[in-house]
Amino acid sequence: MPGTPPPTTDQRRAVKDVLDGPERQRLGDVYYVLSQKWWAAWRQHVAYEKSDSSSSLDLAGLSLTRTTSVEEGPGPITNEPLGVSAGSEFILREGLVERDDYVLLPEKAWDLLTRWYGRDYEFKALVVQGASSSDLTLEVFPLRFDVRIVDGDGAASGPSTSVQLSRSDKVSSARRALEDSTSSRGERRVWVKPASDESFEGEKTGAPRRFKDAFWGDSDWRLLEGDRDAMVGGVPSIHEDRECPRWGALVESRTGGEWPRDLQREKWRSHIRVGDVIDAKDSEGRWFDSRIVEVERDRVKVHYNGWSSRWDNWCDRKDEQIQPHLTHTDDWRRLKVGDALEMRGPGEKALWYKGFVKEVDGSRVLVSSHTPNVDKQWLETSSEHICKLGTHIKAERDPKPFARQYSSSARPSRSHVRGQPPARGAVGLQNLGNTCFMNSMLQCLSHTRPLTDYFLRDEEGEPFYVRQINEKNPLGSGGDLARAYAGFIRDAWSGSYSTVTPSALKRAVSGWKSQFSGYQQQDSQELMMALLDGLHEDLNEIIQKPYVEQLESKGEPDHELAKESWRRFGLRNKSVVMDHCMGQLKSHITCDKCGHESILFDPYNHISLPLPAAGARRVTCTLFKKHSSQRPLKVIVAVQAKDTVGALKQALAKVAALDGSALDLCDVWGHRVYRTFSDNFSVEHIKANDELVAFELGERERAIDVLCGRVSRYASVDRQSPYELFGRPLRIAVTSTTTCGDVRSVVKQCTKRFCDEASYVLRISTAAGTRFESDLGKDDELLPKEVATLTLEFKSEEGYDEDESDKVEEHASCLENGHRDIKLEDCFRKFAEKEQLGETEMWYCGKCKEHQRAYKKLDLWSAPEILILHLKRFQYAQNTYFVHRQKLDDRVAFPVENLDLSPHVLDPESRRSAQYDLYAVSEHSGGLGGGHYTATAKDDNTGVWYHYNDSVVSRADGVQESDPKAYVLFYKRRPGKSS
């Protein structure tokens, strides 16, 4: 249990000594996850930013009052909002963002804070080896295995148990932990495979990520094997998908004889019959869908579909060259309009031609060819007159010598899910652990056809991009990123997979840009910048870059300066990214002191557009009416970010027909009132994930908080304190004449809709609510003046309806827009506004010879074929002790067809071709901490829109033209236009 904290000066100095110390991270070091809110409260309490040599601290920006006393400080460490129940365990919630939701503290600092204040839940993060042997990374989300046993028939059986392992655990101890979690006996071996993500749009923000059952299907299982002393994260069966946090495991046992799974896989051989469709390998090592045409006791005769019977082959039943259907081949006969294939020409000695599917009618397809004198034909999809492209026409085969260069791994990834996607390229992407941001952006870039067609292009039997990789460019990744991206594109557009696992690309990105390593949620737009920049440099055809001075205006016309600037840029840059995705910006800077002007023309590959209404916020608040047994009211009001809390309270009061001065506006966190905002506190400092609650109190001398507490369900496992808070807190008004009986009566009235008075004991407690000082006095006794917090102590969950406690009524404002949609035109106008540079970004004036707060104006000079627009939905707000990000959910109306950019483009030649159509959108829904990325993209061949939610692909009804989820917009120049 915690002791008495030392003076705040000693606390501050002790923790600073640890955090500012010279120690470096070492393999195996332990860090602890700590709630950002508690950390900020403690820093405020001890005046952490204060220099120990200074005499005073400026708290001018801190205009709020805390419910905890100065003496008590922030109360016990409250990590409960960071976690989620998982069966009998309480685990760290996925989707959390470091510095927004939590901070990581080394073990020594954590020990100090828990010794002083106590804690509820403890979440450890280990320093483990990264993707390469030279990298160290913090493992915030460890590997979690759902373990089942293998029965005598080789199938998964019985209930699953959960086992958590670190990627730094040794193989021997990891295997033993998985084996011992089951009742299996005898000789044992362990199979593992990653679980696929099944998070979906519309799930409650902060809800635990849901995964498909890892035991579904019998494919993709890998034996957990390797050096006993090797780390689990480095063995082949884990390493490829090491960033996926959720896994399935099968423990198989035998007491002699064969392994059950081996027997099960071979059982089908004894039941082979004439007419069975199988996979068979020919003498060249190629696999074909085939048929059994004759059967004998120990051997079978195989016919390779699409080939003459003279190639039929007898083989032993146990021969490895025959396997169950779709083991080595894909289901290419599930044909769609537009699919390419081989079709047989007329005559006995017919030749094979490249064709395509023109129509589909049930099990029949109409196939046609561009080759003269080859008639179109209606054929059954099972017909031997059609074959997979590359079967007979060698030019269409994948060139084996270069397979390693364009496959996403050295071997075909066992994590890819075989199957036919709804359209070519419309594949789902496995979530590797908080990688929805990457999956969203990869879908958008994959549907950027000029780039994708480039990576799919072959010349002279090899991928075209291979000859253009620039391994010597110091600004690139040595070609690693380009190869990995090409592998991803070729797998995604092969038509062989319904779901692709981009683990090789994730490793390449992490290896090049370290901020994308690890398992944290990231920004899809930042990943896009890294990918486009990296691909440009990896494929830059300029090997020896000449020195080129940046050109600045000396009075010449803009078009001459722009043309020369682009020519100079081209002396050092030439790539597929530059050809299709880059335009020019005009930058005009004017010194605010002497009037000196500087005009430059710079390249860009995307435009970040500010939202004109960024100063406005829609604030969601839960309103508790005074002494009411009714459900609280959820209200949404629109205010300006620069407004004060006083103005926000008046807006709430107007909507709910209340007196604004009678309201307390609070931030609820950890099931208690974390802070009460003063009227002059700025709305812009309220974080997007703060849970705002307004209590109507009326006239009062003071207020007390009423919390709900119980014995922790996880007290014996990972909690230091045996008590936990739950449910919503209440706040009631009291005066000097309020009795304990009055308080009991009000509490009973406010809680009767969800609990019985007999189910709790009303106790006087500390502000944290988990330490009880005494029972509340007799009914006729006056409420002691020092009482600030009461806790309803529940002995059990009986008599408390938690579902009813959580329910709210929604005010009509929740269904309203609150303000008009912003037009994309408005964003472009805001982008082109003249603005004065801030103190931290001053410009050096060549005439004044000093740094000045100059005026800067940006304009679009030219627009590229592929126009990428980033809506700046995330902005940074300076709080008293930290900078936090806020999300703007304003609706931006953007055209799906015929975006006319000509009013905003200065170059007359480029202006003539500045009409665009939308083809993809990267979307973000939810808040910062529990947010989720998805994508919607248009299939270029059919014009059909598809929605991409990690591994789930569904048909979409286009794109909503003012979708608040829209984050990055991808446009392409309209057909018939040229630059």
Side-chain angles (χ1 to χ4, degrees):
M1 295 301 291
T4 302
T8 56
T9 303
D10 294 345
Q11 292 182 51
R12 181 176 68 242
R13 185 180 297 116
V15 173
K16 275 191 172 184
D17 286 346
V18 174
L19 299 185
D20 297 341
E23 290 191 16
R24 299 180 60 186
Q25 284 185 356
R26 294 170 300 180
L27 192 66
D29 281 353
V30 178
Y31 281 68
Y32 289 84
V33 177
L34 175 64
S35 164
Q36 169 67 61
K37 279 199 170 182
W38 191 94
W39 177 240
W42 177 81
R43 285 161 65 100
Q44 173 192 333
H45 173 63
V46 302
Y48 191 80
E49 310 305 321
K50 176 180 179 180
S51 170
D52 290 323
S53 61
S54 65
S55 59
S56 64
L57 175 68
D58 180 13
L59 290 178
L62 187 63
S63 51
L64 55 89
T65 59
R66 289 200 41 80
T67 57
T68 50
S69 66
V70 174
E71 292 76 12
E72 188 182 6
I77 291 173
T78 308
N79 274 340
E80 188 263 350
L82 303 181
V84 66
S85 296
S88 61
E89 297 180 278
F90 196 74
I91 63 174
L92 195 64
R93 176 164 53 88
E94 294 182 36
L96 299 175
V97 179
E98 188 176 358
R99 294 182 300 277
D100 277 327
D101 299 300
Y102 68 90
V103 295
L104 291 167
L105 292 184
E107 190 169 22
K108 289 181 180 178
W110 173 260
D111 288 344
L112 289 173
L113 294 175
T114 54
R115 188 165 73 239
W116 297 333
Y117 294 98
R119 61 168 175 83
D120 57 359
Y121 296 99
E122 177 180 277
F123 303 111
K124 293 182 180 180
L126 292 178
V127 177
V128 301
Q129 184 174 300
S132 66
S133 58
S134 61
D135 293 336
L136 294 179
T137 184
L138 269 169
E139 182 183 53
V140 178
F141 297 96
L143 301 173
R144 297 189 63 82
F145 289 85
D146 292 324
V147 190
R148 294 172 74 179
I149 61 172
V150 175
D151 62 18
D153 293 327
S157 176
S160 64
T161 57
S162 180
V163 175
Q164 179 173 299
L165 298 173
S166 168
R167 293 163 182 81
S168 63
D169 286 342
K170 292 183 178 180
V171 169
S172 56
S173 61
R175 197 158 47 205
R176 185 166 56 251
L178 294 170
E179 291 171 350
D180 292 348
S181 69
T182 69
S183 59
S184 61
R185 296 292 182 268
E187 184 183 359
R188 296 179 291 187
R189 64 181 182 179
V190 178
W191 300 84
V192 296
K193 76 171 179 179
S196 58
D197 188 12
E198 198 183 42
S199 58
F200 57 92
E201 180 183 351
E203 71 179 0
K204 181 181 178 182
T205 299
R209 189 178 297 277
R210 306 199 311 177
F211 286 80
K212 288 181 181 176
D213 187 350
F215 304 100
W216 182 83
D218 196 49
S219 60
D220 296 340
W221 288 99
R222 317 161 183 178
L223 269 175
L224 179 59
E225 52 190 355
D227 190 314
R228 287 175 50 84
D229 295 325
M231 290 190 298
V232 167
V235 299
S237 55
I238 299 289
H239 186 268
E240 182 178 347
D241 300 287
R242 70 189 311 276
E243 297 190 18
C244 180
R246 291 292 302 275
W247 290 69
L250 291 176
V251 177
E252 184 180 19
S253 60
R254 66 177 179 179
T255 54
E258 299 292 330
W259 293 101
R261 282 178 57 80
D262 291 346
L263 290 174
Q264 179 65 21
R265 285 201 304 270
E266 297 303 314
K267 187 180 293 186
W268 73 276
R269 295 179 184 273
S270 63
H271 299 289
I272 294 176
R273 299 289 184 268
V274 172
D276 285 355
V277 179
I278 65 169
D279 287 355
K281 184 168 63 173
D282 70 359
S283 58
E284 295 182 0
R286 293 188 296 153
W287 289 90
F288 298 94
D289 59 309
S290 308
R291 278 186 300 111
I292 301 297
V293 292
E294 291 187 48
V295 173
E296 296 182 356
R297 178 176 179 178
D298 296 320
R299 63 177 190 160
V300 295
K301 192 174 187 180
V302 175
H303 170 71
Y304 300 97
N305 288 334
W307 293 88
S308 167
S309 59
R310 67 190 180 94
W311 298 109
D312 291 358
N313 181 42
W314 283 98
C315 61
D316 190 273
R317 281 181 181 267
K318 296 183 178 180
D319 200 315
E320 290 296 318
Q321 76 179 61
I322 59 172
Q323 296 291 340
H325 188 220
L326 302 182
T327 303
H328 295 276
T329 64
D330 55 65
D331 197 7
W332 69 270
R333 290 184 185 270
R334 292 176 58 187
L335 296 167
K336 308 181 303 300
V337 173
D339 282 353
L341 43 65
E342 291 183 6
M343 57 181 295
R344 191 176 184 181
E348 289 187 12
K349 295 184 178 181
L351 298 177
W352 289 86
Y353 302 93
K354 183 176 180 178
F356 60 93
V357 177
K358 197 165 185 178
E359 293 183 40
V360 177
D361 181 15
S363 64
R364 298 196 314 148
V365 291
L366 178 64
V367 294
S368 183
S369 174
H370 295 301
T371 305
N373 302 321
V374 177
D375 296 331
K376 54 188 176 183
Q377 310 171 55
W378 279 100
L379 299 168
E380 291 290 326
T381 55
S382 59
S383 171
E384 291 198 56
H385 285 263
I386 54 175
C387 282
K388 183 179 179 180
L389 198 63
T391 302
H392 301 87
I393 305 173
K394 291 185 178 181
E396 298 295 339
R397 294 180 188 172
D398 290 337
K400 288 184 179 180
F402 298 93
R404 184 181 181 92
Q405 294 175 323
Y406 65 79
S407 175
S408 64
S409 57
R411 56 176 175 78
S413 173
R414 290 180 289 179
S415 294
H416 292 354
V417 178
R418 285 190 175 275
Q420 190 163 20
R424 191 164 179 245
V427 298
L429 300 181
Q430 294 279 23
N431 190 303
L432 307 176
N434 290 322
T435 57
C436 59
F437 75 97
M438 180 179 76
N439 292 347
S440 169
M441 187 49 61
L442 288 181
Q443 294 289 8
C444 295
L445 291 175
S446 175
H447 286 80
T448 302
R449 290 310 301 262
L451 297 184
T452 292
D453 290 345
Y454 169 86
F455 283 107
L456 294 177
R457 176 183 171 188
D458 289 334
E459 280 194 6
E460 299 178 2
E462 71 171 15
F464 176 75
Y465 79 89
V466 171
R467 65 186 70 177
Q468 293 193 320
I469 289 180
N470 186 344
E471 295 181 344
K472 298 181 179 179
N473 187 352
L475 300 178
S477 69
D480 292 343
L481 187 63
R483 293 187 186 92
Y485 185 79
F488 159 72
I489 289 295
R490 287 185 168 245
D491 286 347
W493 289 80
S494 66
S496 300
Y497 306 106
S498 61
T499 304
V500 168
T501 303
S503 49
L505 179 55
K506 174 67 167 66
R507 287 195 298 272
V509 174
S510 300
W512 186 54
K513 293 291 186 182
S514 60
Q515 69 262 36
F516 295 107
S517 61
Y519 323 104
Q520 310 306 311
Q521 178 74 282
Q522 302 280 356
D523 189 302
S524 69
Q525 180 258 347
E526 292 176 1
L527 176 76
M528 176 199 70
M529 289 194 299
L531 283 172
L532 290 179
D533 290 345
L535 292 175
H536 167 66
E537 297 297 351
D538 273 4
L539 301 170
N540 196 338
E541 299 176 35
I542 310 298
I543 304 299
Q544 298 293 331
K545 293 188 176 185
Y547 172 76
V548 177
E549 282 192 11
Q550 189 173 29
L551 195 61
E552 189 171 349
S553 174
K554 295 180 180 178
E556 61 268 55
D558 281 352
H559 71 274
E560 293 182 7
L561 183 64
K563 185 176 181 180
E564 177 60 20
S565 297
W566 188 255
R567 187 192 71 81
R568 293 190 181 193
F569 179 70
L571 294 176
R572 295 172 54 85
N573 299 275
K574 174 62 178 174
S575 75
V576 63
V577 176
M578 177 182 170
D579 291 344
H580 299 284
C581 303
M582 288 191 180
Q584 266 186 308
L585 287 175
K586 177 186 176 183
S587 172
H588 189 168
I589 301 178
T590 306
C591 178
D592 65 324
K593 186 176 181 180
C594 70
H596 175 63
E597 295 183 335
S598 171
I599 297 177
L600 301 172
F601 286 85
D602 297 312
Y604 69 88
N605 57 28
H606 77 286
I607 303 168
S608 289
L609 295 175
L611 306 191
R617 287 190 63 179
R618 297 184 73 212
V619 179
T620 302
C621 184
T622 303
L623 175 63
F624 285 79
K625 294 189 176 181
K626 182 180 179 181
H627 300 177
S628 175
S629 61
Q630 297 177 348
R631 290 174 181 171
L633 187 66
K634 180 181 176 182
V635 179
I636 298 179
V637 294
V639 294
Q640 293 299 306
K642 297 296 183 181
D643 281 348
T644 64
V645 164
L648 173 57
K649 286 163 62 173
Q650 291 301 323
L652 285 169
K654 183 177 180 181
V655 170
L658 299 172
D659 179 6
S661 63
L663 296 176
D664 269 7
L665 185 67
C666 305
D667 177 12
V668 170
W669 168 68
H671 308 288
R672 65 186 176 100
V673 175
Y674 168 64
R675 57 182 174 178
T676 302
F677 297 102
S678 65
D679 283 351
N680 63 340
F681 189 74
S682 177
V683 171
E684 70 175 336
H685 292 157
I686 297 176
K687 294 180 67 177
N689 59 352
D690 286 344
E691 183 181 349
L692 298 187
V693 174
F695 297 100
E696 183 192 14
L697 300 175
E699 294 184 6
R700 79 278 195 189
E701 295 176 8
R702 61 190 181 94
I704 61 173
D705 293 336
V706 182
L707 315 178
C708 295
R710 63 189 172 199
V711 175
S712 171
R713 291 168 291 180
Y714 310 96
S716 62
V717 181
D718 53 8
R719 285 178 62 93
Q720 193 178 71
S721 170
Y723 289 99
E724 67 177 1
L725 299 179
F726 68 103
R728 284 195 173 98
L730 300 173
R731 173 166 287 189
I732 60 177
V734 296
T735 68
S736 59
T737 61
T738 299
T739 65
C740 295
D742 294 334
V743 172
R744 283 193 177 92
S745 177
V746 172
V747 170
K748 179 181 178 180
Q749 175 69 13
C750 293
T751 60
K752 67 180 183 180
R753 67 184 175 87
F754 57 83
C755 73
D756 183 353
E757 185 181 17
S759 62
Y760 62 80
V761 177
L762 193 53
R763 298 187 184 276
I764 298 173
S765 64
T766 61
T770 55
R771 292 192 356 225
F772 306 134
E773 296 175 345
S774 66
D775 290 349
L776 188 63
K778 295 180 180 179
D779 283 353
D780 58 353
E781 294 179 7
L782 290 175
L783 181 71
K785 293 181 179 180
E786 62 273 13
V787 173
T789 306
L790 300 174
T791 298
L792 307 182
E793 184 188 8
F794 290 82
K795 296 299 183 182
S796 70
E797 296 183 11
E798 294 182 7
Y800 184 92
D801 188 342
E802 198 159 354
D803 287 339
E804 176 59 35
S805 172
D806 289 339
K807 288 180 179 177
V808 298
E809 297 292 341
E810 290 197 347
H811 186 268
S813 59
C814 298
L815 306 175
E816 298 170 359
N817 234 354
H819 52 271
R820 68 176 182 84
D821 288 352
I822 302 169
K823 294 182 179 179
L824 198 61
E825 291 274 324
D826 301 330
C827 297
F828 276 106
R829 279 192 284 269
K830 182 73 173 176
F831 172 81
E833 283 181 0
K834 181 187 290 188
E835 62 177 0
Q836 188 171 17
L837 301 178
E839 294 285 350
T840 60
E841 50 185 2
M842 292 196 296
W843 171 72
Y844 183 78
C845 177
K847 186 175 181 181
C848 296
K849 306 301 181 185
E850 291 180 355
H851 285 90
Q852 305 288 356
R853 289 190 61 200
Y855 290 95
K856 183 176 183 179
K857 188 180 188 312
L858 292 176
D859 289 290
L860 293 182
W861 177 257
S862 64
E865 175 188 355
I866 299 299
L867 178 69
I868 305 175
L869 304 179
H870 162 229
L871 303 179
K872 296 174 71 172
R873 291 199 177 277
F874 299 109
Q875 67 177 16
Y876 289 85
Q878 175 67 52
N879 212 325
T880 306
Y881 287 108
F882 56 91
V883 175
H884 65 270
R885 288 207 307 169
Q886 296 180 154
K887 185 187 176 187
L888 305 172
D889 286 316
D890 301 79
R891 293 179 178 270
V892 178
F894 53 88
V896 174
E897 295 181 344
N898 198 21
L899 166 65
D900 185 4
L901 211 60
S902 59
H904 309 287
V905 175
L906 299 184
D907 177 31
E909 183 177 346
S910 182
R911 192 184 303 140
R912 289 193 293 269
S913 58
Q915 286 75 43
Y916 292 86
D917 292 332
L918 187 77
Y919 67 89
V921 182
S922 174
E923 304 152 340
H924 182 272
S925 57
L928 291 172
H932 184 57
Y933 285 93
T934 55
T936 302
K938 185 178 182 180
D939 176 49
D940 202 46
N941 293 322
T942 63
V944 176
W945 289 86
Y946 291 94
H947 183 65
Y948 299 91
N949 189 352
D950 288 330
S951 59
V952 180
V953 181
S954 57
R955 190 160 177 157
D957 296 326
V959 174
Q960 183 181 342
E961 294 192 353
S962 58
D963 190 345
K965 299 190 301 294
Y967 182 44
V968 184
L969 309 174
F970 286 75
Y971 284 91
K972 61 181 179 181
R973 186 178 288 129
R974 301 207 84 185
K977 304 292 182 179
S978 60
S979 58

